[in-house]
Amino acid sequence: MSTSAAVIETMQRTVGSFRKPPRIRKPLKLDRHRLPIPHVKIVVGETHSCRLREHFHNTLQDDLMYMTYIHENGPRPPPQPVRLTYDPNNPYTKFRHNPPVGGSQLGKKPSPPSSPKNVIQLEKISLHTMSREALSSRSNLLGAIAAFRALSGENPGGGGWESSKGIQIVTGKKTAHKWKIRPGIPVGVTVDLKGPKMYEFLGTLVEFVLPRLREFPGIVLPPESTSMATPSGVSGVVSFGLPPEAMGFFPQIEINQDMYPKLYGMHIHFITNAEGVGAQNRARALVSGFQIPFARK
Amino acid sequence: MSSSILTPAKATLSFRVSQVPVRYAGRKPEASGDPKKDLIRRILYPSNLRNKPTPVGTWRPEVGHLLQRAIPSKQAHETIERAWNLHLRHTRWKREAELARKFECMRKAMEELEKIDSKLYMGANKVEDPRVWTAAELEKSSQLRGAEKRAFDWRIRGLFPRELRLPTDTPSRNGWDYQWKPLGESV
């Protein structure tokens, strides 16, 4: 009894009293941009639990595992080789590069066998907008960059997260005279959202924007007759677009809407870890769990 | 920074290196430019002359001091970071173990079902395509009108129901509706 009382007393003493913080003896070194190099690795973490991520882990993940499960009897037979490969036993040819098969074969790739580590989840949300005014003057892209910055809150390497690239400018790749596109001309803006920021954006989209859109039936599903053996069908990506009016419904933009020269429509791509035949349907199942409506044609 | 052994005199930093070439510090705004665009340009690409703090916080003279004050002990900071990551890792392992257990139960159940009844097994193993309109669904949809038709069309197999709401931090103002009934039935 006395030992536990002594333990409690020491705990109270150590938790309650702190030493004075150590005197700063020498300043931090500066890097080539004359900014101080921190003495520890600082990564801005989360300040609160992520509501939509908790929803995914508590509710959606189990249900999706059951919904997307395909039972297979025993191990799969090895896939039929579509293209001949160089003989691995021949010393002259065994290290030669075997070019991968693409084209129409891309859509026929079977999905990996269901496993608890393979359950579908949202990897990132990609926003993209293209501005025709930017073709005449690149300063017309500034409004779009500022708007995307407000929506995503992403900075390159921001908060110590090295993987975030921030707002990226899309440049033309090929020449197309009809649309006045040349290689290298900045024409659009894109941003990738991952992690808690992605879930925040999804929550805002679902609760503020989509209910206020006029005549939004949901993401329209293509008819059954269309083939799913397309690159989009096999990649586990669900995409849809928003009109320019929708940008004004985001609270981050609504609050100072006059600051932006104009509102921009955008493409929103939900990128998941599903792959193979039927990946897009599984992605649709996942996205529907976040209160995004779908409509059949 | 590479310094050759043959030129030891140049081993120390010269004055030039610490100056970052300033490309847009002193750029004058275009006279005929849209004031909104100029403001946005100043916010997105603030001046990189490091002599006074910018509104966006790209440079403040006291940042070094504040960092050292905020994190007085390197060991404590790293311990806290490691402890938090450990906690996240353990939570993740628990979740993965639970998921694996449920998966194993489902797999065993499907194995048993296959042995017992192959027709039910095939029905259970069928992949639901959300794009599909079955003939019965089309017929029923053509007979319904209004809100019932909408509720019926929204019931898509293979997707979560539309009534699934995201959990909120606070309950709804109207409370829980105990009298709610779904409109119509699915085929």
Side-chain angles (χ1 to χ4, degrees):
Chain A
M1 204 58 195
S2 63
T3 44
S4 65
V7 160
I8 290 167
E9 207 192 293
T10 11
M11 276 169 64
Q12 279 173 344
R13 254 188 294 131
T14 47
V15 166
S17 67
F18 292 98
R19 282 195 217 139
K20 284 208 191 87
R23 196 159 44 92
I24 297 171
R25 289 173 196 282
K26 61 179 178 187
L28 296 173
K29 290 203 184 99
L30 302 176
D31 64 7
R32 61 182 298 274
H33 296 290
R34 286 186 56 225
L35 290 169
I37 302 170
H39 52 301
V40 286
K41 181 167 191 284
I42 297 175
V43 172
V44 175
E46 298 169 29
T47 48
H48 51 281
S49 73
C50 188
R51 184 168 57 103
L52 265 73
R53 196 175 51 196
E54 295 299 317
H55 173 59
F56 172 75
H57 286 313
N58 294 337
T59 310
L60 298 184
Q61 197 175 34
D62 289 345
D63 292 342
L64 281 162
M65 187 177 70
Y66 298 138
M67 279 156 76
T68 60
Y69 177 67
I70 300 172
H71 186 81
E72 282 173 28
N73 260 331
R76 285 182 179 176
Q80 294 285 340
V82 181
R83 182 182 282 171
L84 299 168
T85 50
Y86 288 114
D87 181 14
N89 296 324
N90 184 347
Y92 294 102
T93 59
K94 67 181 182 183
F95 294 118
R96 275 191 204 165
H97 170 63
N98 290 305
V101 182
S104 62
Q105 286 300 317
L106 220 63
K108 298 186 189 148
K109 186 162 161 249
S111 50
S114 311
S115 99
K117 295 210 181 289
N118 219 355
V119 180
I120 187 166
Q121 43 186 298
L122 247 189
E123 306 272 276
K124 61 180 169 181
I125 293 180
S126 182
L127 309 179
H128 167 260
T129 182
M130 184 263 211
S131 163
R132 238 171 265 126
E133 291 91 18
L135 294 166
S136 46
S137 157
R138 60 175 65 187
S139 60
N140 289 328
L141 261 186
L142 287 168
I145 300 172
F148 270 32
R149 191 116 171 271
L151 287 180
S152 66
E154 290 272 1
N155 286 308
W161 292 97
E162 303 294 333
S163 69
S164 74
K165 299 201 202 97
I167 315 290
Q168 292 181 293
I169 297 178
V170 180
T171 52
K173 305 279 181 306
K174 285 188 193 171
T175 317
H177 292 292
K178 190 171 172 192
W179 295 285
K180 302 185 193 121
I181 301 269
R182 307 183 299 277
I185 182 173
V187 83
V189 182
T190 185
V191 69
D192 284 341
L193 292 152
K194 290 186 203 158
K197 285 208 182 92
M198 167 179 79
Y199 286 114
E200 287 270 345
F201 175 81
L202 185 50
T204 330
L205 176 75
V206 153
E207 273 152 13
F208 288 98
V209 181
L210 296 184
R212 293 206 264 174
L213 281 175
R214 253 182 275 165
E215 297 172 13
F216 179 67
I219 301 180
V220 177
L221 298 167
E224 192 198 346
S225 49
T226 53
S227 161
M228 282 273 286
T230 55
S232 68
V234 174
S235 51
V237 176
V238 177
S239 314
F240 76 110
L242 286 178
E245 302 84 55
M247 194 175 252
F249 297 143
F250 282 99
Q252 305 97 311
I253 300 210
E254 197 182 8
I255 199 150
N256 57 355
Q257 202 168 320
D258 333 320
M259 223 201 75
Y260 301 95
K262 78 180 247 251
L263 296 174
Y264 304 88
M266 64 177 110
H267 301 279
I268 300 180
H269 309 283
F270 298 102
I271 296 152
T272 63
N273 63 346
E275 51 184 359
V277 168
Q280 201 174 34
N281 281 339
R282 293 198 289 278
R284 285 169 183 146
L286 168 63
V287 165
S288 68
F290 288 112
Q291 220 177 296
I292 291 189
F294 282 84
R296 281 175 290 193
K297 247 201 183 151
Chain B
M1 183 201 65
S2 59
S3 51
S4 156
I5 299 167
L6 298 172
T7 55
K10 292 207 180 139
T12 50
L13 275 173
S14 63
F15 180 71
R16 262 282 168 227
V17 173
S18 58
Q19 273 189 347
V20 178
V22 284
R23 263 170 281 143
Y24 37 82
R27 183 197 265 218
K28 303 278 180 290
E30 299 156 19
S32 62
D34 187 13
K36 282 187 201 167
K37 263 201 263 176
D38 290 328
L39 192 66
I40 290 173
R41 190 182 287 131
R42 276 178 60 204
I43 293 169
L44 288 174
Y45 308 106
S47 137
N48 53 2
L49 273 178
R50 301 211 151 88
N51 49 11
K52 59 177 191 282
T54 61
V56 210
T58 43
W59 186 79
R60 290 205 191 97
E62 72 275 17
V63 164
H65 264 261
L66 290 173
L67 275 173
Q68 289 181 296
R69 275 259 127 74
I71 307 175
S73 162
K74 188 172 172 184
Q75 286 84 5
H77 174 83
E78 284 175 359
T79 309
I80 293 166
E81 288 278 312
R82 287 174 63 192
W84 179 244
N85 287 329
L86 188 74
H87 166 70
L88 289 178
R89 207 179 307 144
H90 282 208
T91 326
R92 196 177 63 236
W93 285 348
K94 270 195 211 118
R95 200 173 48 229
E96 285 172 4
E98 181 66 14
L99 207 64
R101 187 189 66 82
K102 287 177 177 158
F103 184 88
E104 193 50 36
C105 289
M106 176 165 57
R107 195 189 60 79
K108 285 210 185 91
M110 287 294 270
E111 264 182 27
E112 283 296 319
L113 185 63
E114 196 184 359
K115 288 176 200 156
I116 293 168
D117 190 331
S118 63
K119 212 167 161 200
L120 283 175
Y121 166 76
M122 274 166 28
N125 215 16
K126 190 169 143 230
V127 175
E128 298 280 5
D129 194 341
R131 309 170 299 163
V132 159
W133 276 110
T134 57
E137 277 180 345
L138 272 171
E139 209 204 298
K140 181 137 189 227
S141 174
S142 59
Q143 287 162 5
L144 297 168
R145 298 278 174 270
E148 240 190 58
K149 179 181 167 65
R150 249 179 296 134
F152 179 76
D153 288 346
W154 285 350
R155 278 189 204 111
I156 303 175
R157 292 191 71 89
L159 301 182
F160 282 95
R162 273 218 195 182
E163 291 86 10
L164 178 72
R165 316 300 294 286
L166 293 173
T168 49
D169 295 322
T170 49
S172 85
R173 256 176 260 170
N174 307 326
W176 188 259
D177 185 6
Y178 290 96
Q179 314 308 327
W180 182 84
K181 279 198 173 39
L183 213 57
E185 320 124 8
S186 52
V187 161

